[in-house]
Amino acid sequence: MIQVDLTNVTKFLPGHYEDELIPRLRQAHEQLQKGSGVGGEFTGWERLTRDYDREEYRRIKEAARRIRENSQALVVIGIGGSYLGARGVIECLRSPNYNLRRKDTPNIYFVGNGLSSDALEEVMELVQDVDFSVNVISKSGTTTEPAVAFRFFRAMLENKYGEEEAARRIYATTDAKKGALKALADEKGYETFVVPDDIGGRYSVLTAVGLLPIAVAGIDMDALMFGAGEMMERCSVADLNANPAWQYAAARHAMYKAGKKIEILACFEPSFRFMAEWWKQLYGESEGKEGKGLFPVSVEFTADLHSMGQYIQQGERTFFETVVRFGPSHHLNLVPYDQQNGDGLNFIAGKSMDFIRQQAMDGTLLAHVEGGVPNVVMYTGPNHEITLGGLIYFFEYSCGLSGYLLNVNPFDQPGVEAYKKNMFALLGKPGYEELGRELHQRLGR
Ligand code: PA5
């Protein structure tokens, strides 16, 4: 059961800061519930765990079973919201070392999330001698990075298996009706899954976008959806004392107004790294517009206490931390006793790693708060499908509320187009000639 502890935040804020936010939270909440706010046509994720397409859900499980049976690897092609959620969930629940582990599920490689030739080549080498399938994910169907990567992997599959069998090994997750990928999938006969019209990329992890790779990795998607569903119930209550998303959204908004411009998401679990990447996209893309928004960054403790720790303790006081604290680990490792005690650590011999970590968490909290860094602490329970489903929904709902408190549209991303336009112009895409000439001139070539 996720709990938001604001004890170490309130002392940095004016007393009863929440009181003046309650009417605005109530309004934002109603806008999310009814889809009546700006961008309301993209709030389908809010009721997804109740209203999802049961028939497609069954097909996802069936496709995952087939991929597990006939493939040693799955190549997931997608960028931004089309891959971060799946990667976050798989790494968190199955480990960042998932591909290296002994297991009865395929390796999973994420490509098409950048333009590195070497990264692409590496994965092509890794799958060339094994049976593999491809899940290409793009809502628009025209995003350059995944589209380019798909050309390579589609050609590989067709050369290896012939067109017909390749088509059986390609799964396309895209718009229900339109777009280049949908057209190609229809022409070639790929099995398709839908990115619903009313759900944007960064809110789509609990649709086929995230669920197919997640299911291939052997993760219990029913439990994930159950956890999200439970959290949906909690977030539907219009009461600050009962709704954790209200509490988090209010605290981070008040912090922003009090001059904190950066939110650091911290976790003491290395497997959380890609969940933090997912969170950064969710909040960065939803809030960072019109010259506003907290800048989301992430750290991994205790590793980063030995790199970023110095800055957090004594650098500029322009940020606050949100610390995700998972419950007990799955393994109990007791520190061995050492006769020689050269490192002087026999005083913790026989103690569990969890116990030691707990003291590190508490020590860090006290030090950072003492150093002037407000801390939101999120208690989540053990690292498990139900926990993670709940956490995903919690962050999504809080993000929608936060965007509305900030008076921005939390569901668009107009700024993402700027680099694409310039890249197309520099690449000589038809229609971009004039801008291309201007940019080449500015670059002095
Ligand atoms: O959140 C978003 O909308 C973006 O991150 C998109 O997911 C990303 O740009 C990929 O877009 P597409 O799925 O259309 O290829």
Side-chain angles (χ1 to χ4, degrees):
M1 167 84 95
I2 292 169
Q3 277 178 314
V4 180
D5 181 352
L6 298 175
T7 317
N8 293 295
V9 169
T10 40
K11 63 182 81 157
F12 293 91
L13 293 172
H16 304 294
Y17 72 91
E18 349 44 326
D19 290 352
E20 68 172 283
L21 284 173
I22 286 178
R24 297 184 54 205
L25 278 167
R26 197 176 297 284
Q27 188 191 16
H29 180 78
E30 202 179 301
Q31 287 172 326
L32 286 182
Q33 295 283 318
K34 294 186 177 156
S36 58
V38 56
E41 65 277 25
F42 293 110
T43 50
W45 54 271
E46 186 274 322
R47 48 204 165 271
L48 176 70
T49 57
R50 190 188 59 214
D51 295 349
Y52 64 90
D53 178 341
R54 265 54 181 182
E55 170 52 21
E56 180 177 72
Y57 192 79
R58 190 199 55 73
R59 278 200 303 115
I60 293 171
K61 285 185 175 175
E62 179 51 31
R65 190 194 54 73
R66 215 175 314 125
I67 294 167
R68 284 199 299 264
E69 267 171 25
N70 71 9
S71 302
Q72 291 158 273
L74 173 69
V75 177
V76 178
I77 303 178
I79 194 166
S82 288
Y83 97 102
L84 283 168
R87 185 161 184 181
V89 171
I90 292 169
E91 292 206 0
C92 194
L93 292 172
R94 298 282 269 151
S95 163
N97 299 318
Y98 168 79
N99 283 347
L100 299 174
R101 295 182 65 171
R102 193 190 300 253
K103 58 192 179 299
D104 54 8
T105 49
N107 284 344
I108 299 184
Y109 300 105
F110 292 92
V111 302
N113 50 59
L115 290 167
S116 160
S117 184
D118 293 342
L120 184 80
E121 177 65 29
E122 183 177 72
V123 177
M124 292 197 294
E125 278 174 23
L126 285 166
V127 298
Q128 72 186 353
D129 296 327
V130 302
D131 282 318
F132 73 97
S133 297
V134 164
N135 181 198
V136 54
I137 308 169
S138 177
K139 183 172 183 175
S140 61
T142 52
T143 308
T144 309
E145 290 89 339
V148 168
F150 184 47
R151 286 193 175 206
F152 286 93
F153 284 93
R154 183 183 146 202
M156 265 186 96
L157 279 176
E158 287 175 355
N159 288 337
K160 192 176 172 103
Y161 298 105
E163 256 204 58
E164 226 171 274
E165 175 60 11
R168 278 195 284 273
R169 289 176 171 271
I170 296 173
Y171 300 83
T173 307
T174 187
D175 190 274
K177 297 189 196 78
K178 55 184 191 304
L181 182 55
K182 173 65 181 159
L184 181 71
D186 287 347
E187 181 197 323
K188 301 283 182 188
Y190 306 152
E191 175 154 19
T192 57
F193 297 97
V194 171
V195 192
D197 282 345
D198 56 359
I199 299 182
R202 61 189 175 274
Y203 292 84
S204 69
V205 53
L206 298 176
T207 70
V209 170
L211 290 180
L212 180 56
I214 285 170
V216 171
I219 290 166
D220 181 350
M221 59 190 240
D222 293 342
L224 198 69
M225 292 298 269
F226 176 80
E230 270 192 339
M231 184 53 80
M232 182 184 85
E233 296 298 328
R234 286 182 73 194
C235 289
S236 68
V237 179
D239 175 359
L240 185 70
N241 294 319
N243 188 327
W246 278 39
Q247 293 158 13
Y248 177 50
R252 58 197 300 288
H253 186 76
M255 219 91 71
Y256 179 64
K257 289 292 167 192
K260 304 297 182 194
K261 301 296 179 202
I262 297 165
E263 179 175 7
I264 302 180
L265 186 74
C267 187
F268 287 74
E269 201 53 71
S271 64
F272 195 72
R273 181 181 288 178
F274 261 86
M275 282 307 296
E277 295 299 324
W278 168 83
W279 172 90
K280 283 192 274 192
Q281 186 204 356
L282 183 64
Y283 281 81
E285 224 170 43
S286 298
E287 291 190 295
K289 50 198 73 159
E290 300 173 29
K292 297 190 262 191
L294 281 158
F295 184 67
V297 300
S298 64
V299 289
E300 184 191 311
F301 289 163
T302 60
D304 285 334
L305 290 173
H306 296 258
S307 57
M308 298 297 286
Q310 170 58 39
Y311 191 102
I312 294 173
Q313 193 65 46
Q314 295 180 331
E316 285 225 37
R317 304 296 74 184
T318 48
F319 54 84
F320 67 95
E321 280 178 306
T322 296
V323 184
V324 175
R325 282 194 183 197
F326 283 112
S329 300
H330 300 295
H331 302 281
L332 183 74
N333 283 302
L334 304 182
V335 176
Y337 179 80
D338 178 5
Q339 192 72 43
Q340 286 178 326
N341 196 26
D343 53 14
L345 287 179
N346 271 352
F347 74 101
I348 50 170
K351 300 267 192 284
S352 73
M353 289 297 291
D354 259 17
F355 172 78
I356 298 166
R357 184 175 67 169
Q358 180 68 41
Q359 312 320 309
M361 283 183 193
D362 290 342
T364 306
L365 172 78
L366 294 173
H368 287 182
V369 171
E370 181 83 19
V373 182
N375 261 246
V376 178
V377 183
M378 213 101 79
Y379 293 97
T380 66
N383 182 10
H384 179 273
E385 278 91 340
I386 295 180
T387 307
L388 212 54
L391 201 58
I392 287 169
Y393 191 91
F394 163 81
F395 276 133
E396 289 179 348
Y397 202 83
S398 309
C399 187
L401 290 175
S402 297
Y404 284 153
L405 289 179
L406 211 54
N407 281 324
V408 298
N409 179 349
F411 307 113
D412 68 358
Q413 54 284 329
V416 179
E417 296 312 310
Y419 101 91
K420 289 187 193 169
K421 209 170 67 181
N422 286 353
M423 178 177 73
F424 291 148
L426 291 169
L427 284 169
K429 184 173 178 174
Y432 289 76
E433 293 81 358
E434 205 182 312
L435 180 62
R437 278 191 292 276
E438 185 200 316
L439 294 184
H440 280 294
Q441 216 168 31
R442 274 168 59 190
L443 290 167
R445 54 195 202 198

